[in-house]
Amino acid sequence: MKRLIAIAVVLVAAPAHADNVSVKVIEVAGGVAYVSPGRAAGLVHGTKVVIRGRTYEVVESTEKTAALALDRSTLAVGDTGTATVTPGAAAAVDKLPKPRPPEAFRDQWPDPVPPATTQQVTPVPLGSGRAPGRARVTVIGHGFGTGDRSGVAGSAEARVISSFELSTERPLGADLDVAGRVFSRSIDSRTHVPVYVRAAQLRYGDPRDPRLALGRLRYAASSVGMLDGGRASARIGNVAVAAFGGIVPDPLGGKPDPDASRFGGELAYDAPASSWQPRLAVTAYGSTWQGALDERRASVVASANHASLSVDGWAELQSFAAGNPWGAAAIELTGAGGALQWRSHGTHAGVDVSFLRPERSLRMDAYLPPDWLCTRVPQPGDVDEACGGSDDRTTASGSLGTRTSRFAVDAVATIGRSRGIATDVDSSGYLRGELYAGPGRIQVGGAAGRTSFAAWTAGELGVGFASGRTFDASVAYRLEQLDYVAASGPVTLHSIVGDARHSVSTELDVALSALATTGVDRDALAALVTIAWRPLP
């Protein structure tokens, strides 16, 4: 600013006469035209230049060039004009005091002081990232009740899932997954146990893939469930190998059962940093029942994900002893399946195929009724008349949907084949649409299906309301028609369905679902309340 004032004073104090200097545009860029000559010819800040009948002002100059601000006008390289200069103006500008060089300001400010040298900082432990003695806890609770003409029944469960870090020096921790349950009716004391423990283990290593785990393991391998025992693993790069062994919990109540043991090993490969993020796990395991060799199985589980595409597959082989009570071959494929999913910008499509045989083992045979593990009535000539032949079920399903800010549509279709007493084919389909209008929406849905014993069709119409991501509620009327093969004619059902979800905070979610149904087939009320609480550590 002082420099501009000085230039103005010099120009005012200069002689009143002026000279005309010819100029030429040599460059145009970024709303600025550069002309020649410059300060040596008298063109300084504020000098007026006329080109093509318009007057411009010099905003900056060097010895040989001057810069003109164009505003909204345009000039082209080669345009010529005239500059009105004041004799001596350039020399006067050169005599003005020059700005101080940067070196003149050296050591003018105090040395910087890092905040950490003066502030009181609480150290954060390394390793697990959490101080010992602190737990990460999730509490999931639900209550279910139903009532009809025969009476009222209900159940409730409070499940605590906790991960506890025991040390900051070593990756030592503990995991607990336990549920307390109550039932209004206890007709099945084997399954209606008041306490159910899904996991209670000590671990050493990464919580997601510990090198050693002891106690009740939630899963022993990728395709093996709960185990009361231990698992040890080692990893080299993307390859991991593990071994496990212990006793198998009671399949109905979950209590430890010394009559059954399970042992095996797993070889896994995963590459999360690659583009497809592949994972492959091969498991071989066996079991004993009351001291005798029981299951002998091998399974493979594979998955891959790339961009919007995901692929999953699995298969299991089981070896059976000669003369087994189910008439199974020496080696059978007991299950296999695959799924292909695609998702992109609210649109999704997928297909899923699975093949399953009934669970067959000496342990399950001891817990379940004799004919539970097969559905086909034994025929003369079967290997064992207690159960005959191969029963299985094959299912294929497909899904398709899209969601935008105005509407959403989802569809699912399933077809299955069961082989037992007879070969039965069942099918079902479901279509649902939503139309959004601000926080409100209209819901329309329809379903139809057919099995060997019944066929049904249903339609639904409802409205919903959402307040951001914290609250959502809907109510709908459903009309359904059931046609049982054993009945004299179809029956009609009328239902009111209500759902509500509220995110009370980032730590607490509450949901309620209720159903009221009336008709010749049934008159019933049902309600389900779910609570999820995730207190911060």
Side-chain angles (χ1 to χ4, degrees):
M1 181 60 74
K2 292 182 179 179
R3 183 178 178 88
L4 295 179
I5 295 174
I7 293 174
V9 171
V10 170
L11 294 178
V12 172
H17 67 278
D19 295 334
N20 293 327
V21 177
S22 297
V23 298
K24 181 179 181 181
V25 178
I26 59 175
E27 184 64 64
V28 178
V32 177
Y34 299 91
V35 299
S36 179
R39 188 167 58 243
L43 276 73
V44 297
H45 187 281
T47 299
K48 305 298 183 183
V49 179
V50 179
I51 301 177
R52 293 168 57 180
R54 295 182 62 89
T55 301
Y56 302 91
E57 186 175 294
V58 175
V59 295
E60 188 60 79
S61 64
T62 65
E63 279 296 308
K64 297 182 179 180
T65 62
L68 311 179
L70 296 182
D71 297 328
R72 296 183 179 180
S73 59
T74 59
L75 292 177
V77 175
D79 288 346
T80 59
T82 303
T84 302
V85 301
T86 301
V93 170
D94 291 337
K95 293 179 180 179
L96 293 175
K98 300 296 188 294
R100 297 174 64 186
E103 292 76 8
F105 296 93
R106 188 182 302 277
D107 299 328
Q108 297 298 307
W109 299 96
D111 294 333
V113 178
T117 61
T118 58
Q119 298 177 349
Q120 297 295 326
V121 180
T122 302
V124 177
L126 301 178
S128 65
R130 300 193 296 272
R134 301 191 67 178
R136 180 170 297 172
V137 179
T138 298
V139 180
I140 301 175
H142 75 260
F144 175 76
T146 181
D148 55 22
R149 296 172 182 174
S150 63
V152 177
S155 65
E157 177 180 291
R159 181 179 177 185
V160 179
I161 305 171
S162 176
S163 178
F164 194 83
E165 304 306 317
L166 302 176
S167 172
T168 56
E169 301 297 328
R170 297 178 178 85
L172 182 63
D175 300 309
L176 180 66
D177 185 348
V178 59
R181 311 190 297 181
V182 295
F183 303 89
S184 63
R185 297 178 183 177
S186 296
I187 59 175
D188 186 357
S189 60
R190 299 284 298 274
T191 59
H192 290 183
V193 294
V195 177
Y196 195 91
V197 180
R198 294 177 173 87
Q201 67 178 26
L202 290 174
R203 53 174 165 77
Y204 182 83
D206 189 331
R208 296 165 297 182
D209 185 18
R211 284 178 276 175
L212 180 65
L214 297 172
R216 169 153 293 184
L217 313 184
R218 183 179 286 107
Y219 57 89
S222 300
S223 55
V224 182
M226 291 195 305
L227 183 71
D228 291 332
R231 169 187 165 96
S233 66
R235 174 177 289 274
I236 301 177
N238 295 331
V239 178
V241 60
F244 56 87
I247 61 175
V248 184
D250 181 298
L252 301 179
K255 67 179 181 179
D257 186 357
D259 286 336
S261 66
R262 181 168 286 160
F263 49 88
E266 181 179 46
L267 179 65
Y269 170 83
D270 63 278
S274 67
S275 60
W276 274 93
Q277 300 179 340
R279 173 172 171 77
L280 175 67
V282 180
T283 307
Y285 62 100
S287 69
T288 64
W289 170 249
Q290 296 181 344
L293 184 62
D294 190 8
E295 300 167 290
R296 292 168 289 182
R297 302 179 186 241
S299 65
V300 57
V301 178
S303 65
N305 301 273
H306 179 68
S308 302
L309 191 66
S310 63
V311 183
D312 298 275
W314 65 276
E316 182 182 78
L317 292 172
Q318 184 171 356
S319 174
F320 295 92
N324 63 83
W326 313 287
I331 297 179
E332 285 193 1
L333 178 67
T334 54
L340 178 65
Q341 296 286 333
W342 175 81
R343 293 180 178 274
S344 179
H345 304 290
T347 301
H348 67 90
V351 61
D352 184 289
V353 179
S354 65
F355 167 81
L356 287 173
R357 294 188 186 276
E359 179 75 15
R360 289 169 290 180
S361 66
L362 298 176
R363 180 175 68 101
M364 296 302 293
D365 201 25
Y367 279 102
L368 299 174
D371 60 347
W372 188 270
L373 301 182
C374 62
T375 57
R376 189 168 70 88
V377 174
Q379 302 296 323
D382 284 339
V383 176
D384 193 313
E385 293 187 359
C387 181
S390 59
D391 305 318
D392 58 63
R393 176 168 175 79
T394 304
T395 305
S397 64
S399 62
L400 180 66
T402 186
R403 180 177 296 272
T404 70
S405 60
R406 300 295 304 276
F407 68 90
V409 178
D410 288 282
V412 179
T414 302
I415 184 170
R417 188 197 70 167
S418 300
R419 292 196 307 167
I421 298 175
T423 298
D424 298 321
V425 176
D426 56 81
S427 60
S428 63
Y430 177 70
L431 178 64
R432 176 186 175 91
E434 295 183 351
L435 182 63
Y436 305 117
R441 66 179 182 272
I442 298 175
Q443 306 169 176
V444 180
R450 178 178 295 275
T451 67
S452 60
F453 61 89
W456 72 91
T457 56
E460 183 177 295
L461 177 64
V463 295
F465 173 83
S467 177
R469 296 187 177 182
T470 61
F471 180 80
D472 188 284
S474 64
V475 61
Y477 166 72
R478 179 185 300 164
L479 177 64
E480 186 174 4
Q481 187 177 71
L482 294 176
D483 189 2
Y484 293 105
V485 173
S488 58
V491 297
T492 301
L493 302 178
H494 305 271
S495 301
I496 298 295
V497 184
D499 292 285
R501 178 189 60 82
H502 180 40
S503 294
V504 181
S505 66
T506 56
E507 302 177 12
L508 180 63
D509 291 305
V510 180
L512 170 65
S513 295
L515 171 67
T517 301
T518 183
V520 177
D521 183 65
R522 69 181 73 98
D523 292 310
L525 295 173
L528 173 66
V529 178
T530 305
I531 298 174
W533 180 43
R534 304 166 296 274
L536 296 176

